[in-house]
Amino acid sequence: MQIKDVAVLGSGIMGHGIAEVAAIAGYKVNLYDLNDDILSKAIVRIKDSLSRLEKSGKIKEGQGTEVIGNIRCYTDIKSAVSNVDLVIEAVPEVLQLKMDIFRQLDQLCSPHTILTTNTSGLSITLIGSKTARRDKIIGTHFFNPVVIMRLVEIICGMETSPETLKTIEEFCRSIGKDTVVCKKDRHGFITTRLIAAQRVEAFRILEEGIATIEDIDKAVRLAFNHPMGPFELADFNGVDTGLRVLEDLQAVYGDRYRPPQFLKHMVECNYLGRKAGKGFYQY
C-alpha cells in the first residue's frame, strides 16, 4: 500500500509537529482539531518552525510556503479523514478518549485506511479493540520536538498485520525517521519504560536530599550526554503528562513507577512546566 494523503488528529505539541514533517516530505496533510482558533495557533507554530529550518539550511529558502500549502485545516472530523490513506491520532494520553476516536474513525474512514496512535505507553490493542480493522491498527510513537527527534517507535497490536507494519515502516522512512519495532504490545513499550524509570529515580534522589534539581539535571547531561536532564525534560513534556504516564505504568508494573506525592501537588497547583511558565524551573 502506498500512502499519499494523511490526516493528523490533534494540533497540539505533537500533532502540529507530525503534520509539519509529513508536509515537508511532500504529503498532503489534513490537520484536525476542535476549533479554528486552536488550528490557527498550530499553523503559526509550524510557520515559525519552518522559518528556523530555512535559516539553518535544513530546508531550502522559500520551501516553507510550499510546505504550508500541503496542510489543510479541518474542524469537521468526517471531512478530515474520509479520503485519506493514513490517520495519525495525536490527542491527549487518555485511553477512553482514544478508544472513542478510533471507534468513530472506523466508521468514517475508507476500508483501506491505516489508523495509528501517537501514544507513549497505552495499549494499541485496546485503543483499536472496537474497530473492524484491527489488522490496520498500529502505534507510532513520535518524540518531541518531532522536527528534530529522529526516532519513531512502532508498536504492533495483537492483530496488526505484517503488511500494515511494512507500510508504516516505509512511511516513517519517507519522512526522514528511523524506527524501532515493539513486536509485543506491552505497556510503556521501550522508551517510556526506560525514561520513566530514570525520572522516578531522579525524584527519589531529590526527595532524599542527595542533590539539587539543577545538579541532577547537570549530571545526566554531562555524564550521559543527554540533551536535557530529567527535570528539564519533565517540564518540556508537561508535568501533568508525566504524572499520567507514571500512574499508568504503576498500575501495570507496581511501585517501581510510583510517582512522588510532590508531583501530584505540582499538577494540582498548575506547575505544569514550560506550557504554564513554571514547573521544576521558572520560564
Side-chain angles (χ1 to χ4, degrees):
M1 178 181 170
Q2 185 178 2
I3 303 296
K4 294 181 180 178
D5 297 305
V6 179
V8 178
L9 305 187
S11 64
I13 292 173
M14 299 305 298
H16 81 259
I18 296 168
E20 181 181 352
V21 295
I24 290 172
Y27 290 97
K28 301 298 182 184
V29 182
N30 296 348
L31 183 59
Y32 165 83
D33 217 312
L34 297 175
N35 60 61
D36 290 326
D37 183 55
I38 297 172
L39 287 165
S40 295
K41 291 176 180 177
I43 293 298
V44 168
R45 290 193 290 267
I46 292 172
K47 287 180 177 178
D48 288 344
S49 173
L50 291 169
S51 177
R52 291 192 296 272
L53 292 175
E54 286 184 2
K55 289 176 181 176
S56 66
K58 293 181 178 178
I59 62 174
K60 294 182 293 185
E61 186 175 350
Q63 188 179 347
T65 301
E66 178 183 340
V67 172
I68 290 296
N70 287 336
I71 302 173
R72 296 159 290 192
C73 293
Y74 291 85
T75 56
D76 176 63
I77 191 169
K78 182 178 180 179
S79 300
V81 306
S82 58
N83 294 304
V84 301
D85 306 304
L86 172 66
V87 176
I88 304 173
E89 167 269 305
V91 306
E93 194 81 338
V94 179
L95 178 60
Q96 190 59 53
L97 173 62
K98 290 178 182 285
M99 290 177 66
D100 290 344
I101 288 173
F102 269 62
R103 186 186 297 110
Q104 188 177 3
L105 290 174
D106 196 39
Q107 301 299 316
L108 298 176
C109 293
S110 299
H112 76 279
T113 303
I114 294 173
L115 307 182
T116 79
T117 174
N118 179 57
T119 176
S120 62
L122 298 176
S123 169
I124 309 305
T125 302
L126 285 179
I127 290 171
S129 62
K130 303 302 180 182
T131 73
R133 61 180 81 201
R134 296 176 187 171
D135 60 318
K136 294 181 173 65
I137 305 297
I138 196 165
T140 50
H141 179 202
F142 288 81
F143 294 82
N144 185 28
V146 179
V147 174
I148 295 173
M149 300 297 284
R150 292 175 56 195
L151 183 68
V152 176
E153 188 176 28
I154 299 174
I155 309 97
C156 294
M158 187 179 295
E159 299 181 45
T160 303
S161 71
E163 292 78 15
T164 295
L165 173 59
K166 180 181 178 181
T167 299
I168 294 304
E169 287 181 305
E170 291 174 351
F171 170 76
C172 290
R173 283 195 292 270
S174 76
I175 61 173
K177 302 300 182 186
D178 288 334
T179 61
V180 293
V181 177
C182 297
K183 297 180 179 181
K184 292 185 178 180
D185 182 14
R186 295 293 185 267
H187 210 82
F189 320 134
I190 303 169
T191 59
T192 299
R193 287 175 67 173
L194 289 173
I195 200 67
Q198 183 201 63
R199 189 173 299 176
V200 166
E201 198 58 38
F203 292 158
R204 292 192 186 108
I205 292 169
L206 178 67
E207 284 190 307
E208 291 169 17
I210 295 171
T212 65
I213 288 172
E214 291 80 5
D215 275 356
I216 297 169
D217 278 345
K218 184 178 181 181
V220 170
R221 289 197 310 272
L222 299 185
F224 308 136
N225 204 29
H226 291 192
M228 287 187 280
F231 296 98
E232 293 170 309
L233 187 59
D235 276 356
F236 187 74
N237 289 335
V239 176
D240 52 337
T241 301
L243 175 60
R244 283 198 300 270
V245 168
L246 288 177
E247 289 175 335
D248 288 341
L249 289 170
Q250 182 190 16
V252 177
Y253 299 115
D255 277 354
R256 58 177 156 151
Y257 288 108
R258 178 179 56 82
Q261 190 65 38
F262 72 75
L263 199 67
K264 299 177 182 180
H265 291 166
M266 288 178 67
V267 172
E268 290 168 0
C269 294
N270 204 45
Y271 280 73
L272 305 181
R274 286 177 179 265
K275 61 186 175 183
K278 56 187 178 181
F280 291 103
Y281 296 92
Q282 295 288 323
Y283 301 93

mmCIF file of all heavy atoms in Angstrom, residues 81-108:
data_model
loop_
_atom_site.group_PDB
_atom_site.id
_atom_site.type_symbol
_atom_site.label_atom_id
_atom_site.label_comp_id
_atom_site.label_asym_id
_atom_site.label_seq_id
_atom_site.Cartn_x
_atom_site.Cartn_y
_atom_site.Cartn_z
ATOM 1 N N VAL A 81 -10.959 12.993 7.466
ATOM 2 C CA VAL A 81 -10.434 11.628 7.380
ATOM 3 C C VAL A 81 -11.072 10.764 6.299
ATOM 4 O O VAL A 81 -10.602 9.646 6.054
ATOM 5 C CB VAL A 81 -10.594 10.902 8.737
ATOM 6 C CG1 VAL A 81 -9.956 11.704 9.860
ATOM 7 C CG2 VAL A 81 -12.068 10.607 9.058
ATOM 8 N N SER A 82 -12.094 11.248 5.613
ATOM 9 C CA SER A 82 -12.876 10.366 4.737
ATOM 10 C C SER A 82 -12.108 9.875 3.516
ATOM 11 O O SER A 82 -12.407 8.802 2.988
ATOM 12 C CB SER A 82 -14.166 11.067 4.297
ATOM 13 O OG SER A 82 -13.863 12.275 3.625
ATOM 14 N N ASN A 83 -11.109 10.636 3.059
ATOM 15 C CA ASN A 83 -10.413 10.254 1.816
ATOM 16 C C ASN A 83 -8.904 10.180 1.983
ATOM 17 O O ASN A 83 -8.150 10.520 1.067
ATOM 18 C CB ASN A 83 -10.758 11.243 0.698
ATOM 19 C CG ASN A 83 -12.216 11.175 0.296
ATOM 20 O OD1 ASN A 83 -12.720 10.113 -0.064
ATOM 21 N ND2 ASN A 83 -12.902 12.301 0.371
ATOM 22 N N VAL A 84 -8.442 9.719 3.141
ATOM 23 C CA VAL A 84 -7.001 9.626 3.377
ATOM 24 C C VAL A 84 -6.578 8.161 3.475
ATOM 25 O O VAL A 84 -7.408 7.269 3.674
ATOM 26 C CB VAL A 84 -6.578 10.389 4.653
ATOM 27 C CG1 VAL A 84 -6.947 11.861 4.542
ATOM 28 C CG2 VAL A 84 -7.198 9.765 5.902
ATOM 29 N N ASP A 85 -5.274 7.948 3.323
ATOM 30 C CA ASP A 85 -4.729 6.595 3.404
ATOM 31 C C ASP A 85 -4.239 6.258 4.803
ATOM 32 O O ASP A 85 -4.106 5.075 5.150
ATOM 33 C CB ASP A 85 -3.551 6.462 2.423
ATOM 34 C CG ASP A 85 -3.941 6.859 1.014
ATOM 35 O OD1 ASP A 85 -4.903 6.282 0.485
ATOM 36 O OD2 ASP A 85 -3.294 7.769 0.452
ATOM 37 N N LEU A 86 -3.933 7.296 5.581
ATOM 38 C CA LEU A 86 -3.353 7.111 6.903
ATOM 39 C C LEU A 86 -3.893 8.162 7.856
ATOM 40 O O LEU A 86 -3.905 9.349 7.509
ATOM 41 C CB LEU A 86 -1.825 7.218 6.821
ATOM 42 C CG LEU A 86 -1.041 7.235 8.137
ATOM 43 C CD1 LEU A 86 -1.173 5.898 8.861
ATOM 44 C CD2 LEU A 86 0.433 7.562 7.877
ATOM 45 N N VAL A 87 -4.314 7.741 9.028
ATOM 46 C CA VAL A 87 -4.696 8.663 10.097
ATOM 47 C C VAL A 87 -3.718 8.488 11.246
ATOM 48 O O VAL A 87 -3.467 7.361 11.691
ATOM 49 C CB VAL A 87 -6.131 8.408 10.605
ATOM 50 C CG1 VAL A 87 -6.447 9.340 11.781
ATOM 51 C CG2 VAL A 87 -7.140 8.607 9.497
ATOM 52 N N ILE A 88 -3.153 9.619 11.698
ATOM 53 C CA ILE A 88 -2.278 9.608 12.872
ATOM 54 C C ILE A 88 -2.993 10.379 13.974
ATOM 55 O O ILE A 88 -3.175 11.588 13.882
ATOM 56 C CB ILE A 88 -0.911 10.249 12.574
ATOM 57 C CG1 ILE A 88 -0.243 9.556 11.384
ATOM 58 C CG2 ILE A 88 -0.010 10.184 13.811
ATOM 59 C CD1 ILE A 88 1.021 10.227 10.909
ATOM 60 N N GLU A 89 -3.442 9.674 14.983
ATOM 61 C CA GLU A 89 -4.154 10.290 16.111
ATOM 62 C C GLU A 89 -3.133 10.796 17.125
ATOM 63 O O GLU A 89 -2.249 10.046 17.528
ATOM 64 C CB GLU A 89 -5.121 9.278 16.718
ATOM 65 C CG GLU A 89 -5.696 9.667 18.059
ATOM 66 C CD GLU A 89 -4.825 9.146 19.189
ATOM 67 O OE1 GLU A 89 -4.562 7.930 19.228
ATOM 68 O OE2 GLU A 89 -4.403 9.973 20.029
ATOM 69 N N ALA A 90 -3.268 12.070 17.504
ATOM 70 C CA ALA A 90 -2.325 12.681 18.452
ATOM 71 C C ALA A 90 -3.079 13.515 19.478
ATOM 72 O O ALA A 90 -2.760 14.676 19.728
ATOM 73 C CB ALA A 90 -1.308 13.542 17.705
ATOM 74 N N VAL A 91 -4.108 12.917 20.071
ATOM 75 C CA VAL A 91 -4.908 13.591 21.091
ATOM 76 C C VAL A 91 -4.316 13.265 22.461
ATOM 77 O O VAL A 91 -3.386 12.456 22.570
ATOM 78 C CB VAL A 91 -6.394 13.162 21.007
ATOM 79 C CG1 VAL A 91 -6.937 13.387 19.601
ATOM 80 C CG2 VAL A 91 -6.587 11.713 21.426
ATOM 81 N N PRO A 92 -4.817 13.898 23.543
ATOM 82 C CA PRO A 92 -4.250 13.636 24.877
ATOM 83 C C PRO A 92 -4.225 12.158 25.250
ATOM 84 O O PRO A 92 -5.027 11.346 24.769
ATOM 85 C CB PRO A 92 -5.174 14.438 25.803
ATOM 86 C CG PRO A 92 -5.621 15.585 24.959
ATOM 87 C CD PRO A 92 -5.803 15.002 23.580
ATOM 88 N N GLU A 93 -3.299 11.813 26.140
ATOM 89 C CA GLU A 93 -2.991 10.436 26.513
ATOM 90 C C GLU A 93 -4.031 9.894 27.488
ATOM 91 O O GLU A 93 -3.759 9.646 28.673
ATOM 92 C CB GLU A 93 -1.579 10.405 27.120
ATOM 93 C CG GLU A 93 -0.984 9.036 27.242
ATOM 94 C CD GLU A 93 -0.377 8.511 25.943
ATOM 95 O OE1 GLU A 93 -0.762 8.987 24.853
ATOM 96 O OE2 GLU A 93 0.466 7.613 26.016
ATOM 97 N N VAL A 94 -5.260 9.706 26.970
ATOM 98 C CA VAL A 94 -6.378 9.193 27.770
ATOM 99 C C VAL A 94 -6.978 8.015 27.000
ATOM 100 O O VAL A 94 -7.477 8.185 25.878
ATOM 101 C CB VAL A 94 -7.437 10.274 28.013
ATOM 102 C CG1 VAL A 94 -8.601 9.703 28.820
ATOM 103 C CG2 VAL A 94 -6.833 11.485 28.706
ATOM 104 N N LEU A 95 -6.914 6.823 27.590
ATOM 105 C CA LEU A 95 -7.296 5.609 26.879
ATOM 106 C C LEU A 95 -8.716 5.669 26.336
ATOM 107 O O LEU A 95 -8.947 5.375 25.156
ATOM 108 C CB LEU A 95 -7.132 4.396 27.798
ATOM 109 C CG LEU A 95 -7.542 3.048 27.198
ATOM 110 C CD1 LEU A 95 -6.720 2.718 25.962
ATOM 111 C CD2 LEU A 95 -7.406 1.933 28.250
ATOM 112 N N GLN A 96 -9.684 6.061 27.164
ATOM 113 C CA GLN A 96 -11.071 6.048 26.717
ATOM 114 C C GLN A 96 -11.296 7.034 25.578
ATOM 115 O O GLN A 96 -12.045 6.745 24.627
ATOM 116 C CB GLN A 96 -12.008 6.383 27.885
ATOM 117 C CG GLN A 96 -13.485 6.148 27.568
ATOM 118 C CD GLN A 96 -13.781 4.710 27.193
ATOM 119 O OE1 GLN A 96 -13.450 3.780 27.911
ATOM 120 N NE2 GLN A 96 -14.392 4.508 26.025
ATOM 121 N N LEU A 97 -10.642 8.186 25.638
ATOM 122 C CA LEU A 97 -10.742 9.173 24.560
ATOM 123 C C LEU A 97 -10.231 8.587 23.252
ATOM 124 O O LEU A 97 -10.876 8.706 22.204
ATOM 125 C CB LEU A 97 -9.954 10.430 24.931
ATOM 126 C CG LEU A 97 -9.817 11.506 23.844
ATOM 127 C CD1 LEU A 97 -11.181 12.049 23.446
ATOM 128 C CD2 LEU A 97 -8.900 12.634 24.328
ATOM 129 N N LYS A 98 -9.078 7.942 23.302
ATOM 130 C CA LYS A 98 -8.514 7.362 22.087
ATOM 131 C C LYS A 98 -9.398 6.226 21.563
ATOM 132 O O LYS A 98 -9.612 6.107 20.343
ATOM 133 C CB LYS A 98 -7.092 6.856 22.368
ATOM 134 C CG LYS A 98 -6.079 7.980 22.602
ATOM 135 C CD LYS A 98 -4.697 7.425 22.932
ATOM 136 C CE LYS A 98 -3.685 8.519 23.223
ATOM 137 N NZ LYS A 98 -3.232 9.217 22.020
ATOM 138 N N MET A 99 -9.929 5.399 22.442
ATOM 139 C CA MET A 99 -10.816 4.315 22.018
ATOM 140 C C MET A 99 -12.060 4.864 21.334
ATOM 141 O O MET A 99 -12.498 4.346 20.296
ATOM 142 C CB MET A 99 -11.201 3.463 23.221
ATOM 143 C CG MET A 99 -10.069 2.630 23.786
ATOM 144 S SD MET A 99 -10.547 1.686 25.270
ATOM 145 C CE MET A 99 -11.736 0.539 24.578
ATOM 146 N N ASP A 100 -12.624 5.926 21.892
ATOM 147 C CA ASP A 100 -13.821 6.532 21.301
ATOM 148 C C ASP A 100 -13.524 7.093 19.916
ATOM 149 O O ASP A 100 -14.334 6.966 18.982
ATOM 150 C CB ASP A 100 -14.354 7.646 22.205
ATOM 151 C CG ASP A 100 -14.960 7.121 23.499
ATOM 152 O OD1 ASP A 100 -15.236 5.908 23.571
ATOM 153 O OD2 ASP A 100 -15.130 7.918 24.436
ATOM 154 N N ILE A 101 -12.356 7.723 19.766
ATOM 155 C CA ILE A 101 -11.981 8.283 18.470
ATOM 156 C C ILE A 101 -11.782 7.173 17.438
ATOM 157 O O ILE A 101 -12.238 7.276 16.295
ATOM 158 C CB ILE A 101 -10.714 9.145 18.601
ATOM 159 C CG1 ILE A 101 -11.049 10.439 19.338
ATOM 160 C CG2 ILE A 101 -10.104 9.451 17.230
ATOM 161 C CD1 ILE A 101 -9.848 11.292 19.674
ATOM 162 N N PHE A 102 -11.132 6.093 17.837
ATOM 163 C CA PHE A 102 -10.897 5.002 16.891
ATOM 164 C C PHE A 102 -12.195 4.325 16.483
ATOM 165 O O PHE A 102 -12.351 3.900 15.323
ATOM 166 C CB PHE A 102 -9.908 3.991 17.487
ATOM 167 C CG PHE A 102 -8.480 4.294 17.142
ATOM 168 C CD1 PHE A 102 -7.885 5.473 17.561
ATOM 169 C CD2 PHE A 102 -7.731 3.417 16.382
ATOM 170 C CE1 PHE A 102 -6.578 5.771 17.247
ATOM 171 C CE2 PHE A 102 -6.420 3.699 16.048
ATOM 172 C CZ PHE A 102 -5.838 4.891 16.484
ATOM 173 N N ARG A 103 -13.120 4.206 17.420
ATOM 174 C CA ARG A 103 -14.440 3.657 17.077
ATOM 175 C C ARG A 103 -15.112 4.531 16.013
ATOM 176 O O ARG A 103 -15.694 4.029 15.042
ATOM 177 C CB ARG A 103 -15.319 3.582 18.324
ATOM 178 C CG ARG A 103 -16.657 2.884 18.076
ATOM 179 C CD ARG A 103 -17.557 2.962 19.295
ATOM 180 N NE ARG A 103 -16.990 2.285 20.445
ATOM 181 C CZ ARG A 103 -16.534 2.904 21.539
ATOM 182 N NH1 ARG A 103 -16.561 4.233 21.615
ATOM 183 N NH2 ARG A 103 -16.057 2.215 22.541
ATOM 184 N N GLN A 104 -14.993 5.849 16.166
ATOM 185 C CA GLN A 104 -15.565 6.796 15.211
ATOM 186 C C GLN A 104 -14.830 6.730 13.865
ATOM 187 O O GLN A 104 -15.459 6.723 12.799
ATOM 188 C CB GLN A 104 -15.481 8.206 15.792
ATOM 189 C CG GLN A 104 -16.211 9.267 14.994
ATOM 190 C CD GLN A 104 -16.147 10.629 15.674
ATOM 191 O OE1 GLN A 104 -15.514 10.800 16.706
ATOM 192 N NE2 GLN A 104 -16.802 11.606 15.069
ATOM 193 N N LEU A 105 -13.511 6.663 13.919
ATOM 194 C CA LEU A 105 -12.719 6.609 12.686
ATOM 195 C C LEU A 105 -13.057 5.376 11.858
ATOM 196 O O LEU A 105 -13.071 5.417 10.622
ATOM 197 C CB LEU A 105 -11.228 6.615 13.026
ATOM 198 C CG LEU A 105 -10.650 7.916 13.572
ATOM 199 C CD1 LEU A 105 -9.195 7.708 13.992
ATOM 200 C CD2 LEU A 105 -10.748 9.043 12.550
ATOM 201 N N ASP A 106 -13.310 4.278 12.529
ATOM 202 C CA ASP A 106 -13.615 3.030 11.825
ATOM 203 C C ASP A 106 -14.835 3.187 10.929
ATOM 204 O O ASP A 106 -14.922 2.569 9.865
ATOM 205 C CB ASP A 106 -13.839 1.917 12.841
ATOM 206 C CG ASP A 106 -13.783 0.538 12.213
ATOM 207 O OD1 ASP A 106 -12.933 0.325 11.325
ATOM 208 O OD2 ASP A 106 -14.585 -0.328 12.608
ATOM 209 N N GLN A 107 -15.777 4.030 11.349
ATOM 210 C CA GLN A 107 -16.985 4.279 10.560
ATOM 211 C C GLN A 107 -16.762 5.325 9.468
ATOM 212 O O GLN A 107 -17.399 5.281 8.411
ATOM 213 C CB GLN A 107 -18.115 4.756 11.494
ATOM 214 C CG GLN A 107 -18.470 3.788 12.600
ATOM 215 C CD GLN A 107 -18.946 2.459 12.081
ATOM 216 O OE1 GLN A 107 -19.750 2.397 11.143
ATOM 217 N NE2 GLN A 107 -18.460 1.371 12.661
ATOM 218 N N LEU A 108 -15.853 6.267 9.702
ATOM 219 C CA LEU A 108 -15.686 7.401 8.791
ATOM 220 C C LEU A 108 -14.649 7.185 7.704
ATOM 221 O O LEU A 108 -14.728 7.801 6.638
ATOM 222 C CB LEU A 108 -15.289 8.655 9.601
ATOM 223 C CG LEU A 108 -16.295 9.164 10.635
ATOM 224 C CD1 LEU A 108 -15.703 10.349 11.397
ATOM 225 C CD2 LEU A 108 -17.601 9.563 9.961
#
